Amino acid sequence: MQQFFCDVPLKTGTDYIFTAEQAHHGRDVARLQNETVRLVYQGQAYFARTCSVNGQFAAHIEKEDPHVNELPAKLILAMALIRKEKMELVYQKAAELGAAEIVPFVSSRCVVKDDGRRGKMERRRSIVKSAAEQCKRNLIPEVHETIRFEQLESIEADVKAAAYENARQSGIRLSQLPSGRSICVVIGPEGGFSEEENAWLNDHGFVSVSLGSRILRAETAALYACSVIGEWMER
């Protein structure tokens, strides 16, 4: 079943006219003819059946979908910038795994530096929107502008954690973190965090956590953390 996020209010018994982009995908690519689709507006989902209204590709809204396919608590992923292809993978998969917010940042060992081009933000948001539609989420994750390492302290969350390879010596694992209405997990770049950065994070309320006995690539660490935290929240 295809899903579409809508920018206008939806109501049972009415018709929704797809945007030009949505119509191209639904009618011309997916070839949705008289098929059930899922429409979402501001978190509320509806089941609708595709049709034609005055020659326009549309869907007749039949009933509400009571299911909310979101994690029970807010998951914020703060991700250090890594190479483009891997970073885009993180955006896509973090959206699929339930992250509510994704905050890219630059730390001392980042090889990639964000150039601030507008097209980058548009692409990032397009990636997370498509991923959220594919996995039938009720909300599109919020993608933030890239921040400096020191600005991580401005992130508000009940629980804050930072993955650090030497944390395995302390025995603190993601599953041992306290519960909260929101949790932020910070993942470093390919070279990890320096000892000074890890100390700074600890001084600013981030608990150092281990992701296991193996050293993971940055993108793997991000997806592992989202998976473990998501499973822990839903359990």
Side-chain angles (χ1 to χ4, degrees):
M1 182 190 302
Q2 294 284 324
Q3 173 171 302
F4 299 89
F5 285 105
C6 306
D7 294 327
V8 297
L10 305 173
K11 183 179 180 181
T12 302
T14 64
D15 296 321
Y16 170 73
I17 306 299
F18 289 99
T19 65
E21 181 181 355
Q22 290 172 335
H24 170 68
H25 177 76
R27 179 187 56 209
D28 305 327
V29 179
R31 299 187 181 280
L32 301 174
Q33 299 181 359
N34 193 33
E35 293 188 36
T36 300
V37 295
R38 191 173 191 256
L39 305 179
V40 182
Y41 174 72
Q42 294 186 352
Q44 177 59 60
Y46 297 81
F47 290 120
R49 185 167 292 276
T50 58
C51 60
S52 178
V53 175
N54 297 326
Q56 295 179 292
F57 187 63
H60 183 72
I61 303 171
E62 298 178 333
K63 61 180 180 180
E64 291 187 9
D65 177 6
H67 295 93
V68 178
N69 304 322
E70 296 294 323
L71 294 176
K74 178 189 287 187
L75 170 58
I76 304 169
L77 171 64
M79 181 70 199
L81 291 182
I82 55 178
R83 291 178 175 82
K84 178 183 176 181
E85 296 78 9
K86 295 180 178 180
M87 193 70 183
E88 291 186 349
L89 176 70
V90 170
Y91 280 114
Q92 181 188 63
K93 300 308 177 185
E96 292 180 22
L97 292 167
E101 298 182 28
I102 305 172
V103 185
F105 68 91
V106 179
S107 61
S108 65
R109 294 179 179 174
C110 283
V111 175
V112 176
K113 306 296 181 182
D114 194 279
D115 61 8
R117 286 184 299 173
R118 178 177 176 81
K120 282 196 172 184
M121 285 301 298
E122 292 176 351
R123 178 164 175 78
R124 292 168 183 171
R125 288 171 177 148
S126 176
I127 288 171
V128 300
K129 181 180 179 181
S130 295
E133 286 181 332
Q134 183 275 324
C135 62
K136 308 298 184 292
R137 289 190 59 172
N138 286 63
L139 298 171
I140 303 172
E142 180 179 0
V143 179
H144 292 260
E145 297 279 356
T146 302
I147 63 174
R148 301 188 309 276
F149 175 80
E150 295 77 12
Q151 292 177 288
L152 289 172
E153 74 170 311
S154 65
I155 297 177
E156 297 183 0
D158 294 336
V159 180
K160 296 183 178 182
Y164 186 52
E165 61 186 67
N166 294 328
R168 63 180 182 274
Q169 300 171 359
S170 69
I172 299 176
R173 304 292 294 270
L174 284 171
S175 57
Q176 296 173 316
L177 290 171
S179 60
R181 290 175 297 179
S182 57
I183 180 169
C184 173
V185 60
V186 180
I187 304 295
E190 285 93 339
F193 291 122
S194 66
E195 292 185 6
E196 293 76 15
E197 287 173 331
N198 185 65
W200 184 93
L201 287 165
N202 292 161
D203 291 340
H204 289 80
F206 292 87
V207 177
S208 294
V209 294
S210 169
L211 301 185
S213 58
R214 295 162 301 284
I215 304 300
L216 305 178
R217 294 180 183 272
E219 68 275 16
T220 307
L223 304 184
Y224 175 84
C226 288
S227 298
V228 171
I229 293 173
E231 192 279 335
W232 162 58
M233 285 181 176
E234 293 187 316
R235 180 181 51 180

